[in-house]
Amino acid sequence: MLEKIGEIKKTALDALAKIEGEEGLDQWKVTHLGRSSAIMDVFKNMGSVPKEERGNVGRTANQVKQALQAALDEKKEALHQAEIQRALQEEKIDITLPGYAIPRGRLHPTTQTLREIYRVFADMGFQIYRSREVETDEFNFQLLNFPPHHPAREMQDSFYVDSGEERGENPILLRTHTSPGQIRAMREFTAENPDNPPPVRIILPGMCYRYEQVSARSETQFTQVEGLAVGHDVTFSDLKGTLSDFARRMFGKNVDSRFRASHFPFTEPSAEMDIECFLCGGAGCSVCKHTGWLEILGCGMVHPNVLSNGGYDPERYSGFAFGMGPERITMLRYHIEDIRYFWANDMRFLEQF
Amino acid sequence: MKTPLSWLKEYVDIELPTEELARRMTLAGLEVEEIRYVGYPLPEGDKRREAKITGFAWDPDEIVVGAIHEVMPHPNADRLVLCRLEDGEEEHTVLTGAPNLFPYKGKGELDSPLKVAYAREGATVIDAYSESEETEYTTIQRKKIRGVDSYSMACSERELGISDEHEGIIILDEDAPTGLPLVDYMGDVVFDIAITPNFARDANIIGVAREIAAITGQELRYPDLDVAQRGDPIQGKVKIEITDPELNPRFAFGLIENVKIQPSPYKVRLRLKLSGVRAINALVDATNYAMLELGEPLHAFDYDILQARAQEAGAAAPTIITRAAKQGETLVTLDDEERQLDDFTVLVTDQSGPLALAGVMGGAASEVHEETTNVLLEGAAWNMINTRRTVMSQNLPSEAAYRFSRGVHPELAPQGVWRGLKLMHEWAGGTVSQGLVDEYPLPPEDPTVEITPGDVRRWLGIDLNVEEIVSILESLAFTCRVSERLSVNGEQSSVNGEQSSVNGHQSLTTDHYSLITVTTPKHRLDIGAGVVGKADLMEEIARVYGYDRVPETRMADALPPQRGNRELDIEEKLRDMLVNLGLQEVISHRLTSPENEARRFPAGEAPKEVYAPLVNPISPERSALRRSLLASVLNTVEGNYRIQDRVAIFEIGPVFLPHEGEELPVESPRLAMAITGPRSLPDWGTAGTREMDFYDLKGIVETALGALHLDGIRYERGGNPSFHPGKCADVFVGEEKIGSFGELHPLVRENYDLPETTLAAAVFDLSALTALVPTLFDVDSIPNQPPVLEDLAVVIDEDVPAEKVAALIRQTGGKILTDLRLFDVYRGDQVGEGKKSLAYSLVYQHPERTLTDKEVAKVRKSIVYRVERELGGKLRE
Ligand SMILES: [Zn+2]
C-alpha cells in the first residue's frame, strides 16, 4: 500500500513538472487532488487496509496530499513569476512619444509677481489697501505735495478725463501712481480716531496710467505697488531695514541693497533703492548696464504736508512710503524685452509663465 | 547736466578716483549717468562700472600740441595745403585740406605759429569719414597724396572725439606749449549728471562743486567777481520798472562798452562744447559760461539798439519795463518766429514794446549781433510757474528756461552779471561801467528752521551730536546758531533759558538740550519753513552723512489693527479656481473706444452708453475707459484665434461707469470669461474632440461658484443681448442677479474677426457676488451607513427644463436622497418626437441606519408618481 502511495506521489509530481502554463494547474488539481483522485481513493478505501497498517498508511497518505498541495502552490507561484517576467520582457512602449496634452490655466505674470510682493509684505505686517483708478488732480497731485505747475509733474504726464464741466486746477485724471491711495487710506483711518489715529502699515497695489508714447520700454498703463508705514517712531533707518529685508525675501537672502538720495515731492528725505543685480551677482552685465545694481524702487520719509493732508500730525507722527513696478521686476527676472507684452494678451507670451 | 571735471576742479579739490567720486555723488543724489573720457584713457577690464563709460583716449606719445610755422600751397592740388609743423622734436610737412588754414596760405613764415592738435605717424584717431553708426577708428599711415608724402595729420574735433565738427582743424590758443601731449594740455572727464527738480540749485558748476566739497570734506572756492569798472557810472543810462514783483522779484543790469566781437579762447569753447552748449562768439559765450558756472541765466542786449528805440520814443535813455503779456500781443523771438503771447507770459519791454520773453528767449530786434559794441547785460529772477507755463505753451525749452522754471535765487542776479561782465571784458575787451542798476522789490524769505539732535534721531534713526549736525549743514552753506534749552518731562519747551519751577512736583524732570537755528543760504529756494523745513534739513543731513551709513532697523512701532481685505481675498480665490479649471488669466488695456465696445452688441442694437472719455487720448482706439469686461475678453479671443484655435481665458478688473451727479465714475469690479475651440488640446492619442459650448462654460461657472459656497444659485433663461437668445443664462443667488453667460450671438460674432466656432462667454458683477459669499460654511459628516444606489430615467416633453425635473426629484427624495446626478440626455426614436429622456443616478443614504429596500422603493414610487402627475412625464423602462 505504501508503495502505491509512493507511486501516486511520483505520478502526480511528474505530471506537475510537465505543466508549462497556469491554465494547466486547475486540471492537475482536479486529477491529482480532486475528489476522485488517486490519493483521495486511498482515504476512501482505508477500510480495506489492515487495521495495524491503517495508522501508517493514513499518515503517509496525508503527508503525500500535503506535499502535493505544497508542490502545486510552489508551481503556481513559479509560473506566476515566469508570467510576470515574460510580460516585463515583452510589453514595451515608446516612452519618447509625447504625453497626452492637458489644458492648463495660469495666472497673468503681473498677478504672480503681485502675489509674491503681497506675501513678503504680509509677513512684515503690511495689509493690502486698494483705491480707485480715476482720481482728481487734488488727490493725485496736490495733496501729495505736487502743487499746480510743479516741475516734478513733468515726469508724470496724465490722461485727463472729460467731465463735461470746467474744473480749473482740479481736473479729473487717471491716477499716475497709486499714491492718492495713501491720502484716502490715511483719511479713512484718521476718521476712526482723529485725535489719536491708528498706526498705518499698508501696501497699495493697482493699475496706473501715464500719457506716454507706447514703446518697448513704456506703456500707457502699468501696475504699481506702493507701501506706507506711519507711526510714532518710524525712522529712515526703519525704512532701510524694512526695504532691505523685502529685497532679501523677494530676490534672495544674500542680495545686497543700496539707497541713493533722490527726489519725490511726497517724501523727504527721498531715496532710490538699488539691489545687487541678481542676473550677474553684481559683477556687471548688460541688464544692469554694468553697474552691478538694479533700480528697484523709490522711497522716502512721508513728507510732512502729506501726513497733514492725511490727518496725521507731522510733529507727532512720522512714516515712510515706497513704490515699485511689478512689470519691471517681472521683466528683469525673466529677461522680457518688451513691456507691451503685458497687456497684449498674446497666449504665446502668457503661456510661458 | 554735462559737467567737465576740469571746471569743477577750479572750485574744489578732488582727490577721489573718478569712478569713486561718481559713486559718492550718485549716492548723495547727483546721479552720474555717464562718464565721458575726453583724451584720458578709459578704465580697463570688464569689472562693474558706476556709470556708462564713453570716450576716446589720446595717446600721449602720438597726439601732441604742434606748431604750424608756415602754410604753403600744394604743388598739385588747389584744395590742399602743406604745413611746416614742429612737434617739439622735429619739423614735419603735414598735408591738410582744412579750410580754416587757407587764409594763411602763401603768407610765408607766420608771426605767431598756429597751435594745433598733431597726430604723429602711427597714431590712432577716430575715422571722421566713416558712415557707420558705430564709432570707427583709423591708424595714420604713410601714403602719397597727389605726389606728396603724407604720414601724419592735424586733427579736427571729430577725429579726437570732442564734437562732430569736421569743417576745419582745431586751432588751439597761442599759449599751448608745443610738444606737450595733448591729453595733458586739454584732456578732460565729463560727468553727465541727472538733476532732479529739487536739485535745480545744483544745475551749475558751483552747485556741483559745493556738493562735492560737502561730501568729501573739502573747501569750496568761489569764482572771481571782482571787475575793473573803468567806465562811467551806469546810473542814468537805463531805468528799470518792475510792474509786478511776484513775477519779477529782481532785475539787474550791467553795462560794458566798446567790446570787440570775436571768438572766445579755444579752451572756453571746448568747455562749452563739453557742457553741451554751442560756442558762438565771446559775448554770447560769456553769458553761457557764467550761467553754467553760477546758475544765473543772463541776457545780453545791444545797448545802442535800446538807446535808439528810446530816442525814437522821445526819451533820453531806455526804460526797461517788466510785465505780463497782454492777450493778443506778439513778439518775434531771436529764432525769427513770431510768437502769440499768453497772459501768463512775462515780458521784458521798453517804451516801444516787447523785447524778450522773460527768462525764456530774447527778441530778434534787440539781440547782440556782429556789429554790437555796447552790451547791456541782464541778470534777473523770474516767477518759476509763469516761466514754466511759457516754456510749455511756446514749446521753447532752453538752458535759461530750464533754470528759471525750477527757481533761481534772486541773490544770484548781480553775481551773474558781474561774472558775465568780467568774462566779456577778458574775451572781448571793452570797458565796464561802474555799478549796476539793480531793482530788488521782493527778496525771498530765506527760512530759518529749528532742529535738535532729537529730531535727527526721530526722523533718521541716527544719533548725531550738535557739532556733527552743524558741520554737515555748514558744509552746504547753511548758517547755524546753537542755543541751550530746557525740556520738562521730555517735552521740549520753546521758552528760552527760563528756569522751570519744580515746586515739589516729584515727577517733574528737566533736562537741557541743544537747539540749532538754521538759516537757509542765499542760493536755494527749496527749503521750507516749520516742520517742512525740518524734513528738508533731514534730507540734507542724511545725504551728507551718507545714506549708506544709516543703519538698518526693524520697526519698533505698534502694529496696526488687522483690517483684512475681503474683496481681494475673494478675487484671488476666484483666480485660483479659474486657473485650476484650465483658464488663462489675461489683463487688458482699460483704455478702449466706445466703437470697439459697441461690437459686443448685434449691429445697430448697441444701446447709448455714457463713457468716461479722455481729453487727450494717445490714439482713437484708446479714447475712453472701458465699460465692459466682456468686450475686453472678446478682443483677446479675437487677437489669439489665428495663433491657436483653443482659447480659454478670464479677466478680473474694473469697468468705469460714469453716473449723473457723481464727480468720479463708479469703478465696478467684474469677472469675464470666454472659451472657444476644442475641449481638449489636440494630441496623438485623442483623435479630435468636440467643441466647447454653453455647457462647458456652465460647468466652469458651477464649479467656481461652488468653490465660494454660494447658497441658492439659480440659472434662468437670460436676456443678455450679446448672447444667443436661446443659449443664454442669467445667474441668480436668491433674488440677486450676479451675472450672465451664454454662447455669443451670431450677429455679435460677425462684428469680430472670429471663426464660426462656438464661443461661450460670461460676465459677473464681483461686488454683487462678493457680498453674497458666506464667510463660513458647514461640513456634513461622512455617513457610516452603506448607500443605496439606483438609476432612474424619465421621458418628458422637450420644453420642460431639466432643472425642474431635478428639483422635483430632490424635493421628493428629501433628506435621504443625498446625491442626484444627470448622466444621460437622450432624444430619438425610442422616446418619440418632442420628447427627451433624462437619466439620473440617485444615492439614498440615511445618516444613522441602513435603509431597507422597502423604504427606497417607497421614495422611488412617489418620485415617479409626481413626475407623471406634475410634469406629464413617465418612467422610461
Ligand atoms: Zn547685472
Side-chain angles (χ1 to χ4, degrees), chain A residues 277-294:
Chain A
C277 178
F278 48 72
L279 300 160
C280 62
C285 69
S286 63
V287 176
C288 60
K289 296 187 193 119
H290 301 284
T291 63
W293 296 102
L294 296 171

Side-chain angles (χ1 to χ4, degrees), chain A residues 98 127 133 154 167 290, chain B residues 49 388 563 590 663 684:
Chain A
Q127 300 178 48
E133 296 176 16
E154 251 171 45
R167 296 179 52 91
H290 301 284
Chain B
R49 301 286 169 221
R388 161 163 236 93
R563 293 168 199 278
R590 295 178 189 180
E663 184 179 41
W684 59 274

Side-chain angles (χ1 to χ4, degrees), chain B residues 44-72:
Chain B
E44 303 249 324
D46 51 9
K47 68 176 184 97
R48 74 196 223 178
R49 301 286 169 221
E50 285 310 318
K52 186 179 165 198
I53 306 285
T54 61
F56 175 54
W58 308 329
D59 189 313
D61 295 329
E62 289 168 338
I63 301 176
V64 299
V65 176
I68 296 176
H69 292 282
E70 189 178 357
V71 181
M72 300 161 294

Side-chain angles (χ1 to χ4, degrees), chain B residues 512-531:
Chain B
H512 284 274
Y513 68 97
S514 303
L515 184 75
I516 310 168
T517 307
V518 185
T519 308
T520 309
K522 289 186 177 303
H523 65 264
R524 53 194 294 178
L525 296 166
D526 62 318
I527 304 294
V531 67

Side-chain angles (χ1 to χ4, degrees), chain A residues 4-19 24-25 27-34 37-40 61 63-72 75:
Chain A
K4 193 185 166 199
I5 294 172
E7 280 296 311
I8 292 169
K9 183 181 177 188
K10 187 170 181 300
T11 312
L13 290 178
D14 287 350
L16 187 62
K18 290 196 183 97
I19 293 173
L25 292 178
Q27 186 51 52
W28 182 89
K29 193 176 179 182
V30 171
T31 313
H32 298 282
L33 281 169
S37 60
I39 192 71
M40 292 313 277
Q63 283 165 357
V64 168
K65 190 186 154 202
Q66 279 164 16
L68 291 183
Q69 183 62 49
L72 173 65
K75 179 77 180 183

Side-chain angles (χ1 to χ4, degrees), chain A residues 27-318:
Chain A
Q27 186 51 52
W28 182 89
K29 193 176 179 182
V30 171
T31 313
H32 298 282
L33 281 169
R35 208 167 284 186
S36 47
S37 60
I39 192 71
M40 292 313 277
D41 284 348
V42 174
F43 291 112
K44 277 184 214 152
N45 301 328
M46 199 56 89
S48 60
V49 177
K51 215 166 192 172
E52 63 280 11
E53 287 178 31
R54 272 187 204 167
N56 203 6
V57 168
R59 209 162 30 249
T60 310
N62 237 333
Q63 283 165 357
V64 168
K65 190 186 154 202
Q66 279 164 16
L68 291 183
Q69 183 62 49
L72 173 65
D73 291 346
E74 196 181 317
K75 179 77 180 183
K76 206 172 194 171
E77 179 59 21
L79 286 175
H80 180 60
Q81 288 298 332
E83 176 60 23
I84 288 177
Q85 287 308 319
R86 190 193 56 79
L88 291 177
Q89 293 283 323
E90 287 174 10
E91 293 169 9
K92 221 180 221 177
I93 57 167
D94 179 358
I95 52 87
T96 66
L97 279 172
Y100 301 140
I102 295 168
R104 179 195 148 190
R106 296 160 178 85
L107 291 169
H108 190 281
T110 295
T111 304
Q112 296 187 24
T113 304
L114 279 172
R115 283 190 174 186
E116 268 190 78
I117 297 171
Y118 295 167
R119 177 181 55 75
V120 170
F121 281 109
D123 286 353
M124 298 195 276
F126 285 77
Q127 300 178 48
I128 298 170
Y129 184 98
R130 297 192 295 178
S131 73
R132 54 171 32 263
E133 296 176 16
V134 183
E135 274 291 2
T136 59
D137 188 278
E138 184 189 14
F139 274 84
N140 193 72
F141 288 126
Q142 295 165 35
L143 293 171
L144 293 163
N145 207 34
F146 290 75
H149 308 291
H150 189 284
R153 286 187 177 212
E154 251 171 45
M155 290 184 277
Q156 301 198 9
D157 280 344
S158 315
F159 282 114
Y160 292 96
V161 174
D162 185 356
S163 62
E165 52 178 0
E166 179 47 52
R167 296 179 52 91
E169 300 215 308
N170 192 23
I172 293 170
L173 43 76
L174 308 189
R175 66 176 175 190
T176 56
H177 44 195
T178 48
S179 319
Q182 288 188 17
I183 301 289
R184 293 195 180 273
M186 285 193 283
R187 288 193 172 177
E188 189 182 315
F189 303 157
T190 47
E192 294 168 5
N193 187 354
D195 296 329
N196 215 359
V200 183
R201 219 177 275 194
I202 52 172
I203 55 172
L204 306 106
M207 193 64 81
C208 305
Y209 305 81
R210 291 204 187 153
Y211 183 86
E212 276 177 19
Q213 290 307 322
V214 178
S215 72
R217 319 220 108 251
S218 75
E219 252 290 6
T220 51
Q221 74 177 33
F222 57 94
T223 60
Q224 199 179 54
V225 177
E226 187 145 312
L228 178 68
V230 177
H232 283 291
D233 296 298
V234 179
T235 64
F236 188 66
S237 63
D238 289 340
L239 173 156
K240 279 191 68 175
T242 306
L243 294 179
S244 308
D245 207 14
F246 160 74
R248 285 187 292 267
R249 290 171 191 235
M250 184 86 188
F251 301 106
K253 65 182 193 304
N254 295 319
V255 161
D256 225 356
S257 46
R258 74 170 186 181
F259 292 78
R260 289 182 280 116
S262 188
H263 174 66
F264 307 103
F266 43 100
T267 51
E268 188 85 33
S270 301
E272 300 263 7
M273 183 174 89
D274 298 337
I275 61 161
E276 195 176 48
C277 178
F278 48 72
L279 300 160
C280 62
C285 69
S286 63
V287 176
C288 60
K289 296 187 193 119
H290 301 284
T291 63
W293 296 102
L294 296 171
E295 203 175 301
I296 280 298
L297 55 81
C299 54
M301 299 301 290
V302 183
H303 195 282
N305 288 345
V306 176
L307 284 174
S308 302
N309 290 336
Y312 285 82
D313 177 1
E315 297 280 12
R316 289 168 57 217
Y317 289 86
S318 56

